[in-house]
Amino acid sequence: MHAPTQDPLQRERDHLAASRSALRAMREDVENLDLKDVTGTWVSAAVLQRQIDERIAALADFAHTPLFFGRLDYLHAISEELAEGGTGEQFYIGRRHVHDASGDPMVIDWRAPVSQPFYRATRTDPMDVERRRRFGYTGGELTAYEDEHLTDPAEADSASALLAAEIEKPRVGPMRDIVATIQPEQDEIVRADIGGTVCVQGAPGTGKTAVGLHRVAYLLYAHREKLARTGTLVIGPNSSFLSYIEQVLPALGELDVAQATVQQLVAHVEVRAEEPAEAARLKGDARMAEVLRRAVRAGITLPTEPCVVVRGSRRWRVPAYELVEIIEELSNREIRYGAAREALPQRIAHAVLLKMEQGGEAPDDRVQDAVARNAAVKAMVKECWPPVDPAKLVHRLLGDAEFLAACADGVLDAEEQAAILWAKPGRSVRTAPWTAADAVLVDEATDLVQRTSSLGHVVLDEAQDLSPMQYRAVGRRCSTGSATVLGDLAQGTTPWATASWQEALRHLGKPDSHVEELTKGFRVPEEVIAYASRLLPAIAPGLAPATSIRDLPDSLTVTHIPDDLACAVVEACRKALTHEGSTGLIAADARIPLYAAALAEAGLPHLSPGAETSADARLTLVPASLAKGLEYDYVVLDEPAAVIAGEPDERTGLRRLYVALTRAVSGLHVLHTEPLPDQLQR
């Protein structure tokens, strides 16, 4: 690493200052656009103004965010097209494109083709790069640089100190982008083609969530016009998780990416209740799709009387057998219930028009539309193909034992039907509140009636916890688009957690998707991940243990506390806060009130998961059920036995513990009074 007083560093600082000035000029050019003489309607003017506002926001310069983080010196000239209009052999790589007044690039977007060697080039395959330079920053100021001469045989391979420093930066505030530290195996996933769905099985600390978010940013860059029409969506496990990741895409200049939980996607009814795990598991079973399909179509009946349409002085009669043929043909086509219902009056009207033509008349399309609106036709449609309200249908299905038995015949046995019925002792059907699993059933029924709109790309994180019916709900949102599926089978903590990615992808509607496995960790220290991996044979025997590039001695402490565990945990938090960065106290959900009171009494302010940490508030009290996906520099883990006991079975409890053990970036302190699980006592 070069000393910060050398002239080359000053030249890089000068380029940074010039780039910031250029970015400011780009923003001012947009701000100064005059829309007074723009022709068109007020709607088009409003749309244009919105686009300008978004462009201004995308050109924001954040003082503490490096404008560029690397430089590539090519051996040979790069084509003008590849270099986004630039000429020459030296390119600065950053979070967004910046050009000077002449249009020549001063910073190249990390997603541009010319930037790819920054992540992929090696000594064995330098990709025509002579030198790769990384920059170090402190508080937004460029303080150091580090060079790799990829074509110099005399220079030995060595680990990048700046890369390691960037990875190990303290975690204060929401999740950061990893644009400066993307590794080759991660970059391959980020830049995978939009045409296919990618599934990433990632061990803790391998950066799978960040990879998924950067993939969205890359796809928006490479396919902006297409995705601007079809839209993108990031789906996370809970609101705390979404709050934690929400700043990553804006930091990369992408502002139009929606975020939601699965529950928010299916919010057709108000969820106000919980139910036994077995009932929720059954409602999430893929077999419920067939039960609902039968329920939606249960009201279809075949007519026994003709349909008689009066037009002026003439009467036109469509016999019952023709009506039966029309209804059976529509039913056998398996098109959406609502679409078939809309087509039925037109089909009946067409049959009437044929009879009119046979009678010597010459009706046109306007006559057919009028016949389709005829009272007799409308009455026939209402009787034979009645309208369906999805919520009312599911309410009837779960509240009417006879209706459920008819729809579930041969699909669910009597015991399973009884488990999902609302009508139980002390609970009337009329007042039964909706549960989360019920809402997913309503979403399925809604799609059976009317097709759900599809997006261009969906990122599904923590996917291992979804039920088959939830996968179907997500799959409907990308039925004509692609998806990035992220998760870790070892972290599945729901009773319906998926057993394999092949099964999950089949329910998602993407059975031919490619599965990538990330096992090299960049976040969790080796000592910590090795300790947590002792649980893998019990919770996910088919997965390979993760490794870590970060070897931090003494990053793991396990302490047995004979008595007054709460006091020892609070003191461990106080000690962790003497280090720079964030601290998370993870405890079983039932023990959270205990520690909320203990921390308050000790004068240690704490935050809730998802709240943004700051210099004055760096301690977060985390229920074990919400720890998934979060990370802290230092983690204090209270009583593993209580974490396990808080789950319905031991395997799920061990998986929950595995999640809690793998949230630390720099240090993990486990404190316990009760015995540790056998796997951790080896």
Side-chain angles (χ1 to χ4, degrees):
M1 190 177 299
H2 298 254
T5 56
Q6 291 185 348
D7 289 338
L9 182 59
Q10 185 57 50
R11 288 198 295 270
E12 302 293 15
R13 288 171 171 165
D14 292 343
H15 185 79
L16 175 61
S19 299
R20 288 200 182 280
S21 296
L23 179 62
R24 186 163 53 252
M26 290 170 62
R27 181 183 173 98
E28 290 172 352
D29 287 344
V30 179
E31 291 173 336
N32 293 332
L33 288 174
D34 189 353
L35 301 182
K36 291 196 302 292
D37 298 327
V38 175
T39 58
T41 65
W42 68 269
V43 175
S44 59
V47 171
L48 182 58
Q49 184 61 56
R50 176 176 175 273
Q51 292 173 340
I52 290 175
D53 293 342
E54 289 176 351
R55 178 61 176 161
I56 292 172
L59 291 172
D61 184 11
F62 303 104
H64 295 288
T65 301
L67 197 55
F68 56 79
F69 47 80
R71 194 183 89 186
L72 291 177
D73 295 355
Y74 278 88
L75 288 168
H76 304 95
I78 301 297
S79 72
E80 190 168 314
E81 178 184 0
L82 199 60
E84 296 186 336
T87 58
E89 302 170 354
Q90 188 178 92
F91 302 98
Y92 289 84
I93 313 301
R95 286 168 172 78
R96 68 195 69 199
H97 174 83
V98 179
H99 60 254
D100 61 17
S102 302
D104 293 329
M106 301 187 72
V107 180
I108 301 294
D109 194 301
W110 67 275
R111 298 166 287 187
V114 74
S115 302
Q116 185 170 335
F118 184 78
Y119 304 106
R120 302 270 189 99
T122 64
R123 294 191 187 282
T124 55
D125 182 16
M127 301 177 71
D128 202 42
V129 174
E130 187 275 331
R131 172 167 54 188
R132 173 168 51 204
R133 174 169 288 182
R134 300 182 189 274
F135 296 104
Y137 288 83
T138 301
E141 294 296 322
L142 201 163
T143 55
Y145 69 90
E146 181 182 70
D147 287 341
E148 294 175 84
H149 295 87
L150 300 179
T151 58
D152 184 356
E155 186 172 298
D157 284 327
S158 60
S160 168
L162 289 182
L163 179 63
E166 179 66 24
I167 292 173
E168 296 175 8
K169 275 185 178 178
R171 266 63 179 168
V172 176
M175 182 179 182
R176 300 193 309 266
D177 65 68
I178 61 164
V179 65
T181 63
I182 295 173
Q183 299 299 295
E185 62 271 26
Q186 296 174 325
D187 191 63
E188 289 184 16
I189 298 170
V190 167
R191 298 176 192 263
D193 186 72
I194 193 175
T197 289
V198 178
C199 176
V200 182
Q201 158 61 42
T206 54
K208 56 184 177 293
T209 296
V211 166
L213 296 174
H214 286 68
R215 174 157 170 72
V216 171
Y218 171 78
L219 292 177
L220 285 168
Y221 175 88
H223 307 278
R224 188 168 300 280
E225 185 175 340
K226 176 180 179 179
L227 292 179
R229 295 193 310 270
T230 57
T232 53
L233 173 67
V234 174
I235 302 175
N238 52 58
S239 298
S240 297
F241 178 82
L242 293 177
S243 297
Y244 179 62
I245 68 170
E246 66 182 356
Q247 293 303 317
V248 173
L249 289 166
L252 298 172
E254 301 299 345
L255 307 174
D256 289 332
V257 180
Q259 295 184 358
T261 64
V262 173
Q263 206 55 53
Q264 289 168 341
L265 288 184
V266 300
H268 306 287
V269 294
E270 182 183 0
V271 174
R272 295 187 293 109
E274 296 183 357
E275 61 189 332
E278 178 60 14
R281 185 190 67 79
L282 285 169
K283 290 177 181 178
D285 193 299
R287 292 176 295 166
M288 288 301 299
E290 173 60 20
V291 176
L292 287 165
R293 189 195 70 82
R294 295 179 184 181
V296 166
R297 293 175 173 267
I300 300 175
T301 58
L302 298 177
T304 57
E305 300 292 332
C307 179
V308 180
V309 176
V310 178
R311 293 276 299 172
S313 61
R314 305 194 65 173
R315 294 161 60 89
W316 305 99
R317 181 176 180 275
V318 182
Y321 76 87
E322 286 191 28
L323 295 172
V324 168
E325 290 176 355
I326 291 172
I327 291 173
E328 287 183 339
E329 192 271 335
L330 283 173
S331 181
N332 292 335
R333 286 175 59 190
E334 292 291 338
I335 61 176
R336 293 297 194 282
Y337 185 91
R341 189 174 190 277
E342 292 173 1
L344 181 55
Q346 288 290 337
R347 295 293 298 275
I348 297 174
H350 180 70
V352 172
L353 258 64
L354 291 178
K355 299 185 182 305
M356 287 181 175
E357 291 172 350
Q358 293 169 359
E361 297 192 9
D364 57 18
D365 291 344
R366 290 175 297 177
V367 174
Q368 179 168 329
D369 290 339
V371 172
R373 296 192 298 270
N374 182 273
V377 174
K378 292 169 68 174
M380 180 63 67
V381 170
K382 184 177 181 180
E383 178 183 349
C384 297
W385 206 291
V388 169
D389 181 296
K392 290 180 179 178
L393 179 84
V394 175
H395 189 281
R396 180 189 174 195
L397 185 70
L398 299 177
D400 185 336
E402 290 186 5
F403 185 53
L404 175 61
C407 296
D409 183 35
V411 181
L412 302 177
D413 61 32
E415 186 177 339
E416 290 172 326
Q417 293 174 33
I420 65 174
L421 267 175
W422 280 348
K424 295 180 176 63
R427 187 186 191 197
S428 71
V429 173
R430 183 180 299 275
T431 60
W434 296 102
T435 68
D438 296 338
V440 181
L441 298 183
V442 175
D443 189 71
E444 179 84 21
T446 301
D447 184 71
L448 288 167
V449 175
Q450 201 72 40
R451 183 184 297 276
T452 304
S453 298
S454 177
L455 298 165
H457 193 79
V458 169
V459 173
L460 174 61
D461 205 354
E462 300 296 349
Q464 73 281 341
D465 279 333
L466 269 61
S467 70
M469 293 299 286
Q470 288 175 318
Y471 279 119
R472 289 175 61 88
V474 173
R476 289 191 281 275
R477 271 74 183 179
C478 56
S479 59
T480 59
S482 56
T484 301
V485 180
L486 312 166
D488 180 10
L489 297 178
Q491 297 185 58
T493 52
T494 57
W496 47 82
T498 188
S500 73
W501 290 122
Q502 288 71 26
E503 177 187 347
L505 293 167
R506 178 169 55 81
H507 294 310
L508 192 69
K510 309 288 184 181
D512 299 325
S513 303
H514 180 59
V515 180
E516 291 277 357
E517 187 169 4
L518 297 177
T519 59
K520 184 189 295 184
F522 306 96
R523 173 175 59 80
V524 185
E526 175 64 29
E527 190 175 0
V528 174
I529 195 64
Y531 183 70
S533 293
R534 296 181 187 179
L535 298 175
L536 285 179
I539 62 176
L543 294 184
T547 60
S548 177
I549 66 169
R550 303 179 59 233
D551 186 13
L552 297 182
D554 302 322
S555 55
L556 172 67
T557 304
V558 180
T559 306
H560 176 258
I561 306 296
D563 50 38
D564 203 357
L565 179 60
C567 181
V569 167
V570 170
E571 288 308 305
C573 291
R574 194 186 302 277
K575 180 178 179 181
L577 288 169
T578 62
H579 301 285
E580 185 181 5
S582 59
T583 295
L585 167 55
I586 303 178
D589 291 27
R591 293 169 65 84
I592 291 299
L594 164 69
Y595 282 109
L599 292 173
E601 184 178 348
L604 292 179
H606 65 273
L607 306 168
S608 299
E612 186 171 343
T613 57
S614 64
D616 298 324
R618 297 184 291 118
L619 174 62
T620 303
L621 178 57
V622 187
S625 63
L626 296 182
K628 196 172 298 180
L630 305 180
E631 59 183 31
Y632 302 93
D633 287 287
Y634 293 89
V635 167
V636 176
L637 176 58
D638 166 71
E639 197 60 276
V643 173
I644 298 172
E647 301 298 326
D649 57 76
E650 184 183 18
R651 187 180 189 189
T652 304
L654 289 173
R655 286 182 168 183
R656 185 73 73 188
L657 178 59
Y658 179 76
V659 172
L661 289 170
T662 54
R663 301 303 96 200
V665 176
S666 298
L668 168 67
H669 191 173
V670 180
L671 298 98
H672 67 103
T673 296
E674 297 183 40
L676 294 172
D678 293 341
Q679 295 86 348
L680 297 183
Q681 293 187 34
R682 294 202 313 269

